[in-house]
């Protein structure tokens, strides 16, 4: 391929003088069975990928295999890894559905990616934003060094342990304070308005804005590993709305890769105040 690239890609019609097809070559390990033997039709130890896709899904097979493939080593295939990938896809889908269930209007969700108000951020909000920043850094570094299993494990740890198990559970207390005024008649709303209800609703909307911010970034981080489900959720959650086609409006493939939160962002939202307690929620 390299010689053919030098031979043909330099032709005038391509406009690429001395074009090199690629600069980096990644050698994957051999996928073996649990006993360390090579896959073979004779041994009957080679699973049918199409059968696995039919049972678990293409994304599950992709994520489960990459997560169990350490850099520079062979992979001992275990169907449990694919099942883990399936469970993880379900977790992602359910987390997005939980966000959708928090309110209607304005498409799939209420106030898609609304503005985050710094004065209403809780310690939990700041904590998950810092964890997102750390995850973006770790995953980007792992991908830049072709360490795909490390990137997949970092995604798994951030989304399942830190976002779902910690932040979503903590946010339920605020999300459950939805004002009941939405079900009342207009005349009743005027009689029941009070500052505390307004503040509770403002905190709730701010928490939803943080959730949208984290999910929209997380879906982009997941896309190289879970291309099909992230494409579906990207549009289903409404994150593609009002975005240019070349920045995710048409497909998540064109969405910009998440960048780390800069110092101005951290200062504006007061994340520096949370830095000493950044890692205290680890168990």
């Amino acid at each position: 391929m390299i010689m053919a690239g030098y031979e043909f890609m330099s032709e005038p019609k391509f406009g690429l003088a001395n074009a090199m097809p690629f600069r980096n070559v990644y050698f994957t390990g051999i996928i073996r069975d649990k006993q360390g033997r090579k896959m073979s039709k004779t041994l009957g130890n080679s699973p049918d990928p199409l059968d696995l896709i039919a049972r678990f899904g293409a994304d599950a097979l992709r994520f489960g295999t990459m997560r169990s493939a350490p850099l520079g080593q062979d992979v001992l295939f275990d169907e449990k890894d694919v099942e883990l990938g399936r469970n993880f896809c379900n977790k992602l889908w359910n987390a997005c559905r939980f966000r959708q269930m928090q309110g209607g209007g304005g498409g799939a969700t209420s106030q898609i990616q609304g503005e985050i108000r710094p004065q209403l951020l809780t310690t939990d909000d700041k904590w998950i934003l810092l964890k997102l920043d750390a995850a973006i850094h770790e995953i980007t570094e792992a991908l830049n060094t072709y360490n795909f299993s490390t990137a997949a494990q970092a995604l798994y740890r951030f989304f399942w342990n830190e976002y779902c198990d910690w932040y979503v559970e903590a946010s339920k207390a605020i999300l459950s304070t939805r004002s009941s005024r939405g079900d009342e008649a207009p005349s009743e709303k005027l009689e029941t308005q009070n500052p505390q209800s307004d503040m509770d609703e403002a905190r709730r909307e701010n928490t939803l804005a943080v959730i949208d911010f984290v999910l929209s970034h997380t879906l982009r981080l997941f896309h190289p590993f879970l291309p099909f489900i992230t494409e579906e959720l990207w549009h289903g959650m409404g994150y593609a709305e009002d975005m240019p086609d070349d920045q995710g409006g048409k497909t998540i493939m064109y969405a910009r890769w998440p960048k780390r939160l800069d110092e101005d962002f951290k200062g504006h939202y007061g994340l520096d105040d949370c830095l000493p307690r950044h890692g205290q929620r680890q168990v």
Side-chain angles (χ1 to χ4, degrees):
M1 292 176 65
I2 294 176
M3 290 186 289
Y6 275 120
E7 177 66 23
F8 299 109
M9 296 302 290
S10 60
E11 295 182 2
K13 63 180 180 180
F14 293 110
L16 299 172
N18 297 320
M20 184 181 295
F22 40 77
R23 296 182 178 275
N24 301 302
V25 179
Y26 181 81
F27 291 94
T28 63
I30 299 174
I31 298 182
R32 302 176 181 271
D33 65 11
K34 288 189 288 186
Q35 301 179 37
R37 302 175 301 177
K38 280 189 175 182
M39 297 291 185
S40 168
K41 292 183 179 179
T42 303
L43 294 175
N45 61 350
S46 179
D48 186 349
L50 294 180
D51 177 60
L52 292 172
I53 291 173
R55 292 166 56 197
F56 300 103
D59 282 343
L61 177 59
R62 183 186 183 100
F63 184 81
T65 303
M66 282 194 287
R67 185 176 180 272
S68 61
L71 182 65
Q73 300 181 32
D74 291 346
V75 181
L76 299 183
F77 178 80
D78 191 334
E79 196 170 284
K80 291 182 178 179
D81 293 325
V82 186
E83 185 176 356
L84 180 145
R86 190 263 318 272
N87 295 340
F88 190 74
C89 290
N90 289 340
K91 190 76 169 181
L92 176 61
W93 185 274
N94 290 334
C96 290
R97 176 152 179 77
F98 172 78
R99 168 60 184 95
Q100 289 182 319
M101 293 171 61
Q102 299 312 307
T109 55
S110 177
Q111 295 187 2
I112 295 297
Q113 299 190 82
E115 181 180 357
I116 299 175
R117 299 168 61 180
Q119 66 273 21
L120 296 178
L121 286 175
T122 66
T123 302
D124 291 320
D125 295 331
K126 296 177 181 180
W127 178 81
I128 196 60
L129 290 173
L130 288 172
K131 285 295 184 181
L132 173 64
D133 178 59
I136 292 173
H137 173 69
E138 183 177 0
I139 295 162
T140 302
E141 286 297 312
L143 292 178
N144 286 340
T145 56
Y146 303 97
N147 202 336
F148 302 118
S149 62
T150 298
Q153 291 165 8
L155 270 169
Y156 186 95
R157 181 179 65 252
F158 166 72
F159 188 75
W160 194 300
N161 298 340
E162 296 170 350
Y163 177 74
C164 291
D165 287 354
W166 273 107
Y167 181 70
V168 171
E169 293 302 318
S171 68
K172 287 180 179 179
I174 295 177
L175 297 177
S176 64
T177 60
R178 171 189 283 276
S179 173
S180 61
R181 290 176 295 155
D183 300 327
E184 299 171 351
S187 59
E188 295 174 334
K189 292 181 182 179
L190 294 177
E191 297 175 359
T192 59
Q193 283 181 347
N194 63 79
Q196 185 60 46
S197 295
D198 292 340
M199 180 58 68
D200 289 344
E201 189 66 19
R203 288 198 180 99
R204 185 178 185 280
E205 291 297 326
N206 207 58
T207 298
L208 292 178
V210 173
I211 289 177
D212 281 330
F213 183 86
V214 174
L215 281 179
S216 64
H217 282 67
T218 303
L219 288 177
R220 283 177 277 170
L221 293 172
F222 272 127
H223 185 65
F225 300 89
L226 308 170
F228 298 104
I229 191 174
T230 52
E231 186 72 57
E232 182 73 17
L233 291 172
W234 180 256
H235 293 279
M237 294 294 293
Y239 297 142
E241 295 180 5
D242 301 325
M243 294 190 70
D245 287 349
D246 62 346
Q247 295 183 22
K250 187 175 182 180
T251 171
I252 192 176
M253 290 188 292
Y254 295 153
R256 297 291 186 263
W257 183 256
K259 295 182 179 180
R260 296 198 65 183
L261 308 181
D262 57 30
E263 294 303 320
D264 291 338
F265 184 99
K266 293 179 180 178
H268 178 70
Y269 290 102
L271 302 188
D272 293 333
D273 299 337
C274 192
L275 283 174
R277 301 183 294 276
H278 182 196
Q280 289 186 0
R281 293 190 182 275
Q282 293 289 343
V283 291

